[in-house]
PDB file of all heavy atoms in Angstrom:
ATOM      1  N   PHE Z  67      99.458 136.673  78.582  1.00  0.00           N
ATOM      2  CA  PHE Z  67     100.892 136.862  78.633  1.00  0.00           C
ATOM      3  C   PHE Z  67     101.656 135.901  77.646  1.00  0.00           C
ATOM      4  O   PHE Z  67     102.586 136.267  77.025  1.00  0.00           O
ATOM      5  CB  PHE Z  67     101.465 136.615  80.030  1.00  0.00           C
ATOM      6  CG  PHE Z  67     100.840 137.526  81.061  1.00  0.00           C
ATOM      7  CD1 PHE Z  67     100.726 137.118  82.417  1.00  0.00           C
ATOM      8  CD2 PHE Z  67     100.353 138.805  80.769  1.00  0.00           C
ATOM      9  CE1 PHE Z  67     100.134 137.946  83.330  1.00  0.00           C
ATOM     10  CE2 PHE Z  67      99.823 139.591  81.723  1.00  0.00           C
ATOM     11  CZ  PHE Z  67      99.670 139.137  83.044  1.00  0.00           C
ATOM     12  N   ASP Z  68     101.117 134.699  77.515  1.00  0.00           N
ATOM     13  CA  ASP Z  68     101.676 133.755  76.554  1.00  0.00           C
ATOM     14  C   ASP Z  68     101.468 134.282  75.127  1.00  0.00           C
ATOM     15  O   ASP Z  68     102.361 134.220  74.276  1.00  0.00           O
ATOM     16  CB  ASP Z  68     100.999 132.382  76.627  1.00  0.00           C
ATOM     17  CG  ASP Z  68     101.186 131.741  78.013  1.00  0.00           C
ATOM     18  OD1 ASP Z  68     102.208 132.005  78.616  1.00  0.00           O
ATOM     19  OD2 ASP Z  68     100.311 130.922  78.402  1.00  0.00           O
ATOM     20  N   LEU Z  69     100.278 134.820  74.798  1.00  0.00           N
ATOM     21  CA  LEU Z  69     100.052 135.397  73.522  1.00  0.00           C
ATOM     22  C   LEU Z  69     101.025 136.566  73.178  1.00  0.00           C
ATOM     23  O   LEU Z  69     101.620 136.630  72.143  1.00  0.00           O
ATOM     24  CB  LEU Z  69      98.597 135.901  73.351  1.00  0.00           C
ATOM     25  CG  LEU Z  69      98.249 136.706  72.088  1.00  0.00           C
ATOM     26  CD1 LEU Z  69      98.358 135.815  70.868  1.00  0.00           C
ATOM     27  CD2 LEU Z  69      96.887 137.324  72.268  1.00  0.00           C
ATOM     28  N   LEU Z  70     101.180 137.410  74.203  1.00  0.00           N
ATOM     29  CA  LEU Z  70     102.034 138.583  74.027  1.00  0.00           C
ATOM     30  C   LEU Z  70     103.552 138.137  73.899  1.00  0.00           C
ATOM     31  O   LEU Z  70     104.294 138.700  73.087  1.00  0.00           O
ATOM     32  CB  LEU Z  70     101.898 139.538  75.177  1.00  0.00           C
ATOM     33  CG  LEU Z  70     100.556 140.233  75.250  1.00  0.00           C
ATOM     34  CD1 LEU Z  70     100.413 141.079  76.515  1.00  0.00           C
ATOM     35  CD2 LEU Z  70     100.267 141.048  74.010  1.00  0.00           C
ATOM     36  N   ARG Z  71     103.892 137.070  74.606  1.00  0.00           N
ATOM     37  CA  ARG Z  71     105.274 136.549  74.496  1.00  0.00           C
ATOM     38  C   ARG Z  71     105.514 136.121  73.071  1.00  0.00           C
ATOM     39  O   ARG Z  71     106.586 136.305  72.475  1.00  0.00           O
ATOM     40  CB  ARG Z  71     105.483 135.402  75.474  1.00  0.00           C
ATOM     41  CG  ARG Z  71     106.908 135.005  75.700  1.00  0.00           C
ATOM     42  CD  ARG Z  71     107.110 133.985  76.821  1.00  0.00           C
ATOM     43  NE  ARG Z  71     106.593 134.476  78.081  1.00  0.00           N
ATOM     44  CZ  ARG Z  71     105.490 134.002  78.672  1.00  0.00           C
ATOM     45  NH1 ARG Z  71     104.791 133.038  78.185  1.00  0.00           N
ATOM     46  NH2 ARG Z  71     105.075 134.522  79.854  1.00  0.00           N
ATOM     47  N   SER Z  72     104.451 135.469  72.435  1.00  0.00           N
ATOM     48  CA  SER Z  72     104.625 134.997  71.044  1.00  0.00           C
ATOM     49  C   SER Z  72     104.772 136.182  70.085  1.00  0.00           C
ATOM     50  O   SER Z  72     105.259 136.042  68.948  1.00  0.00           O
ATOM     51  CB  SER Z  72     103.484 134.132  70.664  1.00  0.00           C
ATOM     52  OG  SER Z  72     102.312 134.898  70.415  1.00  0.00           O
ATOM     53  N   LYS Z  73     104.383 137.377  70.549  1.00  0.00           N
ATOM     54  CA  LYS Z  73     104.515 138.591  69.708  1.00  0.00           C
ATOM     55  C   LYS Z  73     105.760 139.420  70.081  1.00  0.00           C
ATOM     56  O   LYS Z  73     105.911 140.556  69.589  1.00  0.00           O
ATOM     57  CB  LYS Z  73     103.264 139.448  69.864  1.00  0.00           C
ATOM     58  CG  LYS Z  73     101.979 138.771  69.316  1.00  0.00           C
ATOM     59  CD  LYS Z  73     100.821 139.696  69.446  1.00  0.00           C
ATOM     60  CE  LYS Z  73      99.527 139.088  68.855  1.00  0.00           C
ATOM     61  NZ  LYS Z  73      98.414 140.075  68.929  1.00  0.00           N
ATOM     62  N   GLY Z  74     106.578 138.847  70.984  1.00  0.00           N
ATOM     63  CA  GLY Z  74     107.797 139.495  71.363  1.00  0.00           C
ATOM     64  C   GLY Z  74     107.820 140.341  72.562  1.00  0.00           C
ATOM     65  O   GLY Z  74     108.755 141.137  72.842  1.00  0.00           O
ATOM     66  N   TYR Z  75     106.760 140.343  73.388  1.00  0.00           N
ATOM     67  CA  TYR Z  75     106.655 141.137  74.598  1.00  0.00           C
ATOM     68  C   TYR Z  75     106.751 140.266  75.832  1.00  0.00           C
ATOM     69  O   TYR Z  75     106.281 139.165  75.853  1.00  0.00           O
ATOM     70  CB  TYR Z  75     105.280 141.857  74.612  1.00  0.00           C
ATOM     71  CG  TYR Z  75     105.067 142.802  73.504  1.00  0.00           C
ATOM     72  CD1 TYR Z  75     104.372 142.422  72.310  1.00  0.00           C
ATOM     73  CD2 TYR Z  75     105.584 144.064  73.483  1.00  0.00           C
ATOM     74  CE1 TYR Z  75     104.188 143.243  71.276  1.00  0.00           C
ATOM     75  CE2 TYR Z  75     105.416 144.928  72.427  1.00  0.00           C
ATOM     76  CZ  TYR Z  75     104.643 144.499  71.318  1.00  0.00           C
ATOM     77  OH  TYR Z  75     104.499 145.325  70.258  1.00  0.00           O
TER      78      TYR Z  75
END
Side-chain angles (χ1 to χ4, degrees):
F67 303 151
D68 298 333
L69 172 67
L70 294 175
R71 195 173 303 108
S72 75
K73 295 181 177 186
Y75 299 97

